């Protein structure tokens, strides 16, 4: 890693990247038993890998003419690889990062085509939570007596980053009624607040390293709207 970064001609970047790698390793060894810390490390490590890939491609293109076929092919390859990598990570992380991917896939004005293709899959291909988990959430939120009055249809009407929706029957005073139940995923509020904070740090670092790619104003209003859904 150090050898690659030295090619950038920036001792500041070298120091930053080496420090980030050491901090990430130390944090993993210290906090790996805490799921929220594992998630945060997952996010920052994924961002670090993407950053290195873009920097490496830029270095390879340094002596190539703007608009040359080789230069264009290198960037096309990078976008394809990074788009797939980001998609895989967003599917694994779920929650807020799926919403980030969905939003990014709607921005045809700024996103290269590979990101639109891969992140667009997040619009309608979200994995569903198992029924056992949903029943546990209902019991925690409603109590065992009230939760027992609900019988969920195993096939969800929809599953999104924050909640899952099911048809259900509800028995009230001996009368069975058809209802629709929206179950918020377990711990999504705390996880989402952490993810928002992580995104703010990542965007600040990107803006510092690449001033031409300051996306903070672009997502500021959207971020507030996303938190209101909790």
């Amino acid at each position: 890693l150090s050898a690659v970064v030295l090619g950038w001609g920036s001792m500041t970047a070298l120091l930053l990247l080496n420090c980030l790698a050491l901090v990430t390793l130390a944090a993993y060894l210290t906090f790996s038993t805490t799921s929220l810390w594992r998630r945060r490390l997952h996010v920052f490590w994924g961002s670090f890998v993407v950053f290195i890939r873009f920097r490496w491609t830029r270095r390879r293109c340094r002596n190539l003419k703007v608009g040359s076929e080789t230069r264009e092919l290198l960037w096309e390859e990078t976008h394809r690889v990074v788009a797939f990598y980001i998609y895989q990570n967003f599917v694994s992380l779920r929650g807020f990062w799926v919403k980030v991917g969905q939003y990014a896939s709607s921005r045809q004005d700024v996103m290269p085509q590979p990101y639109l293709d891969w992140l667009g899959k997040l619009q309608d291909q979200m994995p569903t939570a198992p029924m056992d988990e949903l029943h546990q959430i209902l019991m925690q939120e409603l109590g065992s007596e009230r939760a027992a009055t609900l019988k969920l249809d195993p096939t969800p009407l929809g599953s999104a980053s924050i909640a899952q929706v099911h048809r259900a029957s509800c028995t009230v005073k001996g009368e069975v009624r058809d209802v629709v139940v929206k179950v918020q995923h377990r711990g999504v509020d705390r996880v989402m607040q952490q993810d928002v904070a992580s995104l703010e740090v990542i965007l600040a670092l990107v803006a510092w390293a690449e001033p031409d790619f300051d996306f903070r104003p672009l997502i500021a209003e959207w971020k507030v709207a996303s938190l209101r859904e909790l």
Side-chain angles (χ1 to χ4, degrees):
L1 177 60
S2 298
V4 173
V5 180
L6 280 173
W8 303 347
S10 173
M11 291 305 296
T12 301
L14 172 61
L15 179 62
L16 173 65
L17 293 177
N18 282 336
C19 287
L20 179 59
L22 289 173
V23 168
T24 301
L25 177 60
Y28 177 78
L29 294 175
T30 304
F31 300 106
S32 60
T33 57
T34 305
S35 60
L36 284 178
W37 269 103
R38 285 201 301 270
R39 183 178 181 85
R40 179 168 284 174
L41 289 172
H42 185 164
V43 169
F44 281 106
W45 180 252
S47 302
F48 180 68
V49 170
V50 170
F51 178 76
I52 289 296
R53 178 65 193 235
F54 276 117
R55 279 291 197 173
W56 177 239
T57 301
R58 177 172 291 185
R59 181 177 182 275
R60 295 174 68 189
C61 293
R62 186 171 53 187
N63 297 322
L64 297 175
K65 292 182 180 180
V66 176
S68 69
E69 183 178 356
T70 302
R71 185 187 182 99
E72 294 297 324
L73 289 174
L74 283 173
W75 278 111
E76 286 178 11
E77 177 191 10
T78 295
H79 288 313
R80 284 197 301 270
V81 171
V82 170
F84 178 63
Y85 178 76
I86 291 175
Y87 167 75
Q88 286 184 311
N89 277 271
F90 282 3
V91 169
S92 173
L93 290 164
R94 302 178 62 175
F96 175 73
W97 296 104
V98 168
K99 295 185 71 65
V100 172
Q102 291 171 339
Y103 177 72
S105 70
S106 70
R107 295 305 305 263
Q108 300 181 18
D109 53 329
V110 294
M111 300 299 293
Q113 191 60 42
Y115 301 94
L116 300 178
D117 293 339
W118 278 108
L119 299 182
K121 298 176 184 294
L122 298 173
Q123 298 287 352
D124 54 9
Q125 293 186 9
M126 277 302 300
T128 59
M131 292 298 295
D132 288 346
E133 180 179 327
L134 297 182
H135 286 307
Q136 291 175 8
I137 295 172
L138 288 172
M139 289 183 66
Q140 290 175 356
E141 296 294 326
L142 303 176
S144 57
E145 185 176 343
R146 293 181 64 188
T149 65
L150 289 171
K151 291 186 177 180
L152 300 184
D153 185 333
T155 303
L157 294 174
S159 179
S161 56
I162 293 177
Q164 192 164 305
V165 180
H166 287 257
R167 289 190 182 92
S169 60
C170 178
T171 304
V172 180
K173 296 181 180 180
E175 181 182 353
V176 179
R177 300 177 183 176
D178 293 330
V179 296
V180 174
V181 177
K182 182 178 181 180
V183 184
Q184 192 175 84
H185 297 308
R186 188 189 303 278
V188 70
D189 51 347
R190 186 172 53 156
V191 171
M192 191 167 178
Q193 289 170 3
Q194 174 183 282
D195 288 344
V196 169
S198 296
L199 179 61
E200 290 176 335
V201 172
I202 292 168
L203 292 179
L205 289 173
V206 169
W208 173 79
E210 302 285 349
D212 293 335
F213 295 94
D214 187 355
F215 295 108
R216 288 173 293 181
L218 187 66
I219 70 160
E221 184 175 345
W222 169 81
K223 177 191 68 178
V224 173
S226 295
L227 288 173
R228 286 175 182 164
E229 295 182 27
L230 294 175

